[in-house]
Structure formats: C-alpha cells, structure tokens
Amino acid sequence: MSRLKIIRNVIVIPERCKGCGYCIEFCPRKVLVFSENFNERGNHYPIPKYINNCIGCKFCQNICPDFAIYLEETEKVEVS
Amino acid sequence: MKESIKHLTNHERKHPLDSYLRKGMIPHIWCPGCGNGVILNCFLQALKELHFNLDNLVVVSGIGCMGRISGYINADAFHTTHGRAIPFALGVKLAKPELKVVVFGGDGDLLAIGANHLIQAARRNIELTVILSNNFNYGMTGGQCGPTTPLNAVTTTSPYGNVEHPFNAVYLAAGSGATYVARWTAYHVRNLVDSIKKALLKKGFSFIEVISPCPEIYGRHTKHMNAVEMMKWLKQASIIQNKIDPIKAEITQNIIVVGEFVDKEKPEYTDLIWGKIGKVERTYHKE
Amino acid sequence: MKKPDVLTGEYFVQGNFALAEGAIAAGCRFYSAYPITPASSIAERMALRMPQVGGIFIQLEDEISSLMSVIGASWAGVKAMTATSGPGLSLMVESIGLAIMTETPCVIADMMRGGPSTGQPTKPSQQDVLQVRWAAHGDYEIITLAPYSVQEMFDLTIKAFNLAEKFRVPCFILADEIIAHTREKLVIPEPEKIKTVDRKKPKVPPEEYLPFKPDEDLVPPMSCFGEGYRFYATGLTHDESGHPDMSAKTQRELTSRLCEKIRKNKKEIITVEKYFLDDAETVIIAFGTPARAAKETVKIGREKGLKVGLLRLITVWPFPEEEVAKIVSEAKLIIVPEMNQGQIIREVKAASSTAPIISFPKVGEEPPTPNEILKIIEKNTS
C-alpha cells in the first residue's frame, strides 16, 4: 500500500527580511523562531525551527510585508 | 543551530509572487511591519489566484507611503500627484475600457486631498478598484493627524490631542454610491485576498479599506510600540460583521468592524458613456 | 455611409467652435473639462461632437480632475485636451507639472479673462501669459501658441496637438474672451490637407524598453497602457528606466533634457508673423487680440507715411528671442500693447539687452560655489 505524503518546507529569503516578527508571532503552530544570525540589514530573520508542526496554511507567506518567506510543498509517495 | 535556508542559494529562493513584482524594486521603501507591504502581498496573491493577465492591468497611485506601491507591481503603473490618482485612473479607464484599473492610496491621499474625487467616482459608479490603506496618520511626512485620526489622538500636529472627528471611509464610499465596499485589517490576509478578487471582478466602483499598522510612525504616539503589538491590536479589536449597514461599521480604538458591507449592481459609467457614443455615432452617420 | 470626422467647408462661427473642430481634426478623442466662462462653449461643442466622432466628452468635478483625466487618457494612447480660463488654470497648476515631468502629450486651452481671482469672467485679458509659462514649480520649457483669429483657433489647435505629440509636452493654446466669442469666417480644409503628428512608439521589445531613454531629438518613444511594456512613470525625479532616483546627477540630466528638447527645436516650434518690418523704424510687438489692433495701426500708419511694422508672436513660449532681438536692435521705437499691466514686455526687454547676460544654471543638490562663479567671470572677461 502506498500513500501520498506532503513534505512542507518554509523558505526564508533573509536579505529581504526587515524583522517585523509577524510570521513568528501569528503562525498558528509556532513553527518559526528568530535566527541568532543577522542579515545584511542587521535584522534577525525567521527560521522554521519546528517545521514538523507546519500545517501548510501559508499565513506566514501572506502576512509578510516584505516577500521574505514562503511555503514550499512537495508530494512524496511513500510505499509501506 | 542548523538552518534549513542554508540549503538553498539566493538564486534558488524564489518567492511565488516574484514574477508579479517589478524587477529590482524589492526591498521596498516601507518600514518594518508596514501594512502596505501586506496589502501589496495580498493584492498580488489575488492576481495570482485569478490568473490575471498583468498586461491588462494598470496600477495608479497618489502621494504618500502608499503612493509608492505602483512602482513595485510588474504591470503598467503610474505614480501621480497627491490625491489625484482617481481622476487619472478615470481617464485611463474611459479611454481604454478593456483595461482593469486599480487605484491605491492612503487615508491622507484618498480621504483628505483627494476625497472629492473618491466620492465623485463612487457616485459615477466607474469600474475602478480603489484600495485604501488607512493607518490613521500621515506616515511619509512624519506622523501628522489626518482625516481618519481618532478624536483626542496625539500626533505631531495634534500634540494636545486631535480635535477633529474622523471619517468612516466605508460609510462614505457606500453613501456615495460604491457598488462593492469592504473593510479588513492587515491581519485578515485571507479575507482581504478574497475581497480583492471580488473587487477586481466587479463591474462597478469597488472600494476596500484596509486598516494598516504603522508601527514606526503612528505607533510612536500609541501604546503599540512595535509591529507585533500593533498587529495584535488589529486582531483583537476586529469583529467580522458581513453585510451590515456601513453606518454601523464602527471604527474606534477598541472595536474595528470588518467585513464585506456592500455588493450590489448598478449601471456602470464606462458602459453608459460608450453605449451613448455608439448610439450617437450610429444615428449621426445615418442622417 | 460614414460621415467624415472633419467638417470640411466654410463657416461663420465663434473662436471656441473653431478650436473644438481643430481639436477633432487633429485627432483629439478625449475632452474633459469643468464649466468656466469664457471656455464653456468649447465644452458644449465637444459634448455634441465627440460622440459623433467616437470620442469621449466628460465633465468632471473640477479643473484638477479634468486635466488629470486628460493625462490618464493620453497615457492610454488617446489624444486628449482640456480648456479653461484663469481660475481653472490656477487649479490645474500641479497637474501641469506632472504632465511636464512625465512627458505627457496633451493640450490645454486657456481663454484668458480678467483677474486676479474671479476677476472679470466675461471680459478679455492677457493676464495669464506668464502664468502659462511658469505655472508649475520646477524647471522646464513649455510650448504656447497664441491665435489671433477664429481661423487660427482652428489651425493652431492642430499645431498644438502636433507639437505636444512630437515633443511629449503639454501645449497651451492661449487666447482670450474676444477670440473665444468673436464670430468670423472659418475655412475647414479637406481632411487629407490636414497634417497630423502622432507620438513616437518604442521600437524595442518590452524587456529592452527604457520609458525615459531619449532618442537623438531628446524625446523618448512612448509606450501606452495595455501595450505590454509594463512601464512605470512617476512625478518623482526618475532615471531612464522611470524609477525614482534622488541623485543630483539624475535631477540635472532630467531637467536639462526637459528644457533642451524644446530649446533645441525652437526653429521648428517658433512661428512669428512679420508685417511691414523690412523698413520699419517703429515696431509693434503683440500677440492675440492686441495684434489685430496693431495690424490696423500699421495699415493706418503706413497710409500716413509712418515707417511702422508689426512683429506678431504666434508662438509665445518658447519666447522668440532671436526674432525679437533682431527687430529690437534695428528699430528706433518698440511698442508692446498687451491686455495686462505689462508682462510680455519683460521678455522683450530681456531679449534686447545689450550687455551679455550669462546664465549659470545648476541643479540637483549642490548650490553654486564661489569658484564656479569666478571661473565664469574670468572666462568671459579675459
């Protein structure tokens, strides 16, 4: 038997991030945290530390004022 | 800490809306957490979901922070003077009715210096989509009070508290004759995308007010000292009340009524004008 | 059977009628205005005529929106105009600046009445002649044509559209209440005898197109909305790509080009009428309605044996400096009749200065330095 599994990844474009924190604060599953690193602008940017919790709602992508974060979904067929 | 972003090169990290953005213009000039960026994001998302042909789109803006939005969209775009985006857009729409013309503006642009054009265009019911970013103050010039600043609010030009009553933009637009009227906040991204899609498909004057966080400028004068705090306020103060009479669409520090308030049909201005031209031309050449 | 758009024939009509028919003959298909005396009868004629020729007439909420919609229509690819009088012109001022900055071809007719303020709505004047030159803030050159007869209201309106399209600049038709309302003979020629000019279109594909990159004539080819170029235009100082750029270099280059594209083409733009000037010792310099009186003066004067002539300015802006300077240097007496307290005479005086006056323009962000000024002095006195 095989089933379809969706692999989700949240991609961040660090150099675009202005560090407002919307994606981190308003993610319903608290997937994101601030990075310890700075980008070129001197901002901490988000990283998807708890990506396994992601339900693919794209709220982070839609609320980002700076086009710095988006969801990527790939389908994977798992055979068991 | 292992960071997943490091697996991708800059070249590979391509935002799904990048092809809708004008090349070389991002990052935009707006402050961290500015609602204008969220509105731009939602607008482009709506275009994408509608599979909108960008060659048929004209974006027009006035002056102020929101005035800069026309430069960021990968379509024909024009950055006009303060308050005058609507009459410019009207000329475009009449001259080439097959184009979809969208006007963006802030509360100063559309409700102070350009307010007359807004209500006159709504009265005519011309097929334009007007998207208002309301941040309760003049952000670009440093945070002066304006036509939507709440009574008693402290700004740089109301240091002792604002003595003017604010406009209720959705009530104004609806009362002037707009055939689609909605209000959302920058927090309501999904509702906003849906409303923009409806507005873009509306045969008539559509108006969407978006309550937009201005943490860097307006936030200085309020308790919302950072972007997240300000967005939380918008989330907590909002009550969704679709279809209610816009006169009841309250907007105060504590309550922001959001929703889709008007969606009705009325003869459209461009149709009326071109219908008349066709009729006159036919009679004239028959005589 | 389709009737021709151009109403070829002979008429006895008002100047405003001739202006409206001239606009239609030039290809104008968008007219937007706000009622104002003495320009209202242009709107009334256009309201009747525009739909007959498949064009748009609209009356908007004020003169600001009228000119803004004209600019919008022009960018949608349609030849467009508005008409007004002094108070309306004052309201249009900011939009005129936008049209100049974004190089929008359009025509603005100003039927001058007495001012300031509401002034004399039903009386003629020439009090706006400097206002049309310097209406908007900033540095620029503008084109203004001054008809003096009903026939010229027709002819110069066509020329105004042609110059506006060719040089991508708002072009003024500057007349007054008398010419607007006077009835006299108008001859509208056959359509094929009317020369019209259309703006240059880009010859490169959208990915290579820079909307404000000029050709050799300093005028950039113009794409319009819906043609797939996805251009961006702004009233902000912009580079050739149209993107805002606040650098001194870009400000200097842009304002220089906005001026130079007119200055370099003065020969083509400027027309004057020389009437009995060959041996004239007394020269009258006039435009518009006073030129009618001046012409009569010359006739009467000549009958009396006076060596009097007329230089009639058909193009008022750019000012025909060379023509005026030549006349002034040869004449013994210059008379400048105009219906104002003395406006165009300033230009006549400026053109006839004997000591060289050197312009040192510098724009952007750095003010002129003492050394720069000193260098100019040394260069011109050594």
Side-chain angles (χ1 to χ4, degrees), chain B residues 22 55 76 79 96 124 285, chain C residues 3 61 225-226 230 233-234:
Chain B
R22 188 175 296 278
D55 286 337
D76 284 334
H79 182 203
K96 259 193 189 170
R124 295 184 182 105
H285 293 298
Chain C
K3 288 182 189 167
E61 54 268 21
F225 294 140
R230 299 193 192 175
T234 171

Side-chain angles (χ1 to χ4, degrees), chain C residues 7-187:
Chain C
L7 300 180
T8 305
E10 282 189 22
Y11 299 84
F12 186 72
V13 288
Q14 285 192 336
N16 281 352
F17 178 108
L19 188 149
E21 291 303 329
I24 290 167
C28 173
R29 291 296 178 271
F30 187 98
Y31 182 91
S32 173
Y34 186 82
I36 187 165
T37 304
S40 299
S41 51
I42 302 173
E44 288 167 353
R45 181 74 193 157
M46 285 299 210
L48 189 78
R49 285 282 287 140
M50 270 296 171
Q52 294 177 348
V53 298
I56 290 160
F57 165 84
I58 46 167
Q59 183 180 312
L60 291 187
E61 54 268 21
D62 53 30
E63 285 84 352
I64 301 172
S65 45
S66 299
L67 182 51
M68 286 305 292
S69 65
V70 161
I71 298 171
S74 183
W75 279 94
V78 177
K79 289 186 187 176
M81 82 168 290
T82 183
T84 189
S85 190
L89 181 70
S90 294
L91 281 183
M92 287 178 185
V93 161
E94 191 194 23
S95 313
I96 293 168
L98 180 72
I100 293 161
M101 193 59 149
T102 55
E103 302 181 64
T104 307
C106 59
V107 172
I108 304 161
D110 176 18
M111 301 297 116
M112 290 180 285
R113 63 194 230 185
S117 190
T118 316
Q120 296 175 295
T122 59
K123 308 287 183 199
S125 95
Q126 291 182 312
Q127 295 172 351
D128 307 348
V129 64
L130 290 183
Q131 191 188 6
V132 295
R133 173 62 187 88
W134 295 112
H137 59 275
D139 254 340
Y140 57 89
E141 289 283 345
I142 197 105
I143 302 177
T144 301
L145 308 177
Y148 90 136
S149 66
V150 169
Q151 185 63 46
E152 272 195 356
M153 286 286 260
F154 180 88
D155 298 341
L156 292 186
T157 300
I158 296 170
K159 188 175 180 191
F161 271 97
N162 290 350
L163 293 172
E165 289 284 318
K166 176 152 193 194
F167 296 107
R168 287 188 62 181
V169 67
C171 188
F172 284 96
I173 299 161
L174 189 69
D176 61 66
E177 186 275 335
I178 291 177
I179 298 165
H181 289 158
T182 293
R183 280 173 196 273
E184 56 189 17
K185 188 179 164 184
L186 165 70
V187 180

Side-chain angles (χ1 to χ4, degrees), chain C residues 239-364:
Chain C
D239 58 21
E240 290 182 345
S241 72
H243 295 182
D245 181 353
M246 296 301 112
S247 71
K249 179 176 173 282
T250 299
Q251 171 71 358
R252 195 161 53 234
E253 285 174 359
L254 179 59
T255 53
S256 299
R257 187 170 63 72
L258 292 179
C259 292
E260 286 305 312
K261 71 176 179 180
I262 305 297
R263 289 177 188 163
K264 277 202 168 165
N265 293 292
K266 271 184 177 177
K267 276 217 167 69
E268 184 180 342
I269 297 166
I270 289 175
T271 36
V272 295
E273 184 191 353
K274 294 174 183 171
Y275 190 66
F276 285 94
L277 280 184
D278 288 346
D279 61 342
E281 289 170 1
T282 299
V283 175
I284 308 171
I285 299 178
F287 66 96
T289 294
R292 296 167 75 105
K295 220 169 203 181
E296 203 55 32
T297 310
V298 173
K299 284 182 199 164
I300 300 166
R302 286 280 166 179
E303 276 171 21
K304 288 187 170 179
L306 295 170
K307 287 188 173 177
V308 53
L310 165 69
L311 178 70
R312 181 166 74 89
L313 312 179
I314 298 170
T315 307
V316 176
W317 308 114
F319 189 73
E321 300 168 325
E322 286 170 27
E323 291 79 355
V324 168
K326 188 171 174 286
I327 301 290
V328 166
S329 65
E330 289 163 6
K332 287 182 182 158
L333 177 67
I334 308 288
I335 297 167
V336 185
E338 49 182 332
M339 290 189 284
N340 53 45
Q341 300 282 353
Q343 293 192 14
I344 206 72
I345 194 168
R346 292 162 187 257
E347 294 296 324
V348 174
K349 282 180 181 167
S352 52
S353 156
T354 45
I357 302 171
I358 293 153
S359 168
F360 173 33
K362 194 178 177 196
V363 292

